Amino acid sequence: MSISLLLVPLAVATVAAVRGATADRDERGHIICQVQTRMRDEVLLTAALRETDAVVTVDGQGIVAAWDRVQANFQRGENDVWSAHLTGEVDEQRAVDIIRAVDAGYGRQVQRAVLDRLRERAPAAGLRLESETVADDASVRMVFAVEGRQS
């Protein structure tokens, strides 16, 4: 089976948000789904795909991710919107589930990048990380102390 997904950034997915994922067919009868996503950064997307145990290949044209009996070809289209064409043993629901799992992994990659940036930049801003805790829902609480300035 073959399914194509249009990965709509959340910022422009207001109308699609009501529907979550929508499906149509192209002129050849292939299923085309539209799925909300926040994925924009190629490096973070690649890391998120690897987090789902995909074998990932990146070339100048896009990203190919392969799982057991399913392959996804990611291409960047207009306005930097990604699309994914899935082939193999995949139906519409499995395709949407795969992309949602990748999107969740992408969110974790974004969180890691932001936390790393905060840790890295804190000393230059006169801050010292005193504690960091991770809650059951994977949210992170960081407590910084303002370093005293001596004159």
Side-chain angles (χ1 to χ4, degrees):
M1 179 171 269
S2 175
I3 297 177
S4 293
L5 302 173
L6 179 61
L7 309 178
V8 181
L10 290 175
V12 295
T14 312
V15 174
V18 176
R19 297 180 296 213
T22 60
D24 262 323
R25 291 191 180 267
D26 68 9
E27 61 280 352
R28 293 174 301 200
H30 293 135
I31 297 172
I32 306 225
C33 298
Q34 185 170 316
V35 181
Q36 297 173 56
T37 181
R38 59 188 141 207
M39 298 183 279
R40 294 189 75 86
D41 184 284
E42 184 174 312
V43 172
L44 297 178
L45 174 55
T46 302
L49 287 165
R50 287 191 174 112
E51 188 178 295
T52 65
D53 296 327
V55 175
V56 180
T57 306
V58 179
D59 61 24
Q61 303 299 313
I63 300 171
V64 176
W67 299 270
D68 186 34
R69 296 184 296 271
V70 177
Q71 180 171 307
N73 294 300
F74 291 81
Q75 300 290 317
R76 201 184 287 271
E78 291 184 38
N79 302 321
D80 284 340
V81 173
W82 287 97
S83 63
H85 182 77
L86 285 83
T87 56
E89 293 182 17
V90 62
D91 60 12
E92 182 181 336
Q93 187 57 54
R94 183 162 184 216
V96 171
D97 290 345
I98 287 170
I99 297 304
R100 286 190 175 147
V102 172
D103 186 63
Y106 186 89
R108 289 186 292 276
Q109 294 298 322
V110 169
Q111 181 182 37
R112 282 185 199 113
V114 168
L115 293 172
D116 289 347
R117 207 170 311 129
L118 285 169
R119 286 185 205 101
E120 177 184 307
R121 294 180 182 174
L127 301 172
R128 180 180 39 78
L129 180 62
E130 287 199 329
S131 69
E132 182 175 326
T133 55
V134 180
D136 291 339
D137 67 355
S139 61
V140 178
R141 180 177 182 198
M142 300 173 87
V143 176
F144 291 92
V146 177
E147 296 279 82
R149 298 180 191 251
Q150 298 179 6
S151 23

